[in-house]
Amino acid sequence: MLTTGLKLKSLIKYFDVSKGEDDVRIVYDATANMLNSCVWVPSFWLPTIESLIRALIHHSWMTDRDIADMFLNFQLAESAKPFTGVDLSPLYNEGEPIDPKWAYWDRNLMGFAASPHNSVLMALIVEEVVRG
């Protein structure tokens, strides 16, 4: 999102990751700007394969719920957005008259301590809504 009306207080770093020959992904890294030291996140238990297998019987059905792949489906809290500024100026040629060159990231991001908890919580809420 462009910085329309939002006062940025901190920038986050980003870098590219190659996924195959023709696919490049951008990773927004919240570990570099001290944001994690300013948030409280409840701890929560993540199952291991051993604990999952103990709960299965021969009629069990399973699905893969890779929450990390779903980070981009869920928005950050409004209070976190001012701390997720992104400097886009390296993407432009020098002197190019495109403004603003800063934006903010508004989705869960890698390296942010609250992202796994927020994504799991929102996925469970979505499941509850879908099931009625």
Side-chain angles (χ1 to χ4, degrees):
M1 294 292 193
L2 295 178
T3 58
T4 330
L6 181 71
K7 183 177 181 187
L8 294 176
K9 298 178 181 179
S10 179
L11 296 175
I12 58 173
K13 294 185 178 192
Y14 60 94
F15 56 91
D16 62 317
V17 175
S18 297
K19 296 283 189 175
E21 292 182 24
D22 299 326
D23 191 6
V24 176
R25 309 264 172 103
I26 296 177
V27 176
Y28 296 91
D29 181 12
T31 61
N33 74 345
M34 304 299 291
L35 180 59
N36 285 332
S37 63
C38 301
V39 296
W40 176 83
V41 180
S43 61
F44 63 102
W45 176 78
L46 290 174
T48 64
I49 190 68
E50 289 81 19
S51 63
L52 178 64
I53 289 173
R54 287 194 306 259
L56 297 178
I57 61 172
H58 68 282
H59 293 294
S60 296
W61 287 82
M62 295 181 58
T63 183
D64 178 17
R65 293 187 179 188
D66 192 349
I67 298 296
D69 286 345
M70 296 180 8
F71 276 10
L72 302 181
N73 292 339
F74 305 112
Q75 291 189 325
L76 282 174
E78 290 295 320
S79 58
K81 290 178 186 177
F83 301 96
T84 62
V86 179
D87 181 8
L88 301 175
S89 58
L91 304 175
Y92 297 102
N93 295 324
E94 192 166 328
E96 197 171 345
I98 298 176
D99 286 319
K101 291 189 174 109
W102 282 19
Y104 67 93
W105 188 246
D106 67 346
R107 302 294 174 144
N108 282 335
L109 58 159
M110 300 304 292
F112 183 42
S115 287
H117 178 263
N118 292 343
S119 295
V120 169
L121 179 64
M122 292 311 299
L124 292 173
I125 290 171
V126 167
E127 182 177 0
E128 187 174 319
V129 169
V130 167
R131 290 178 183 255

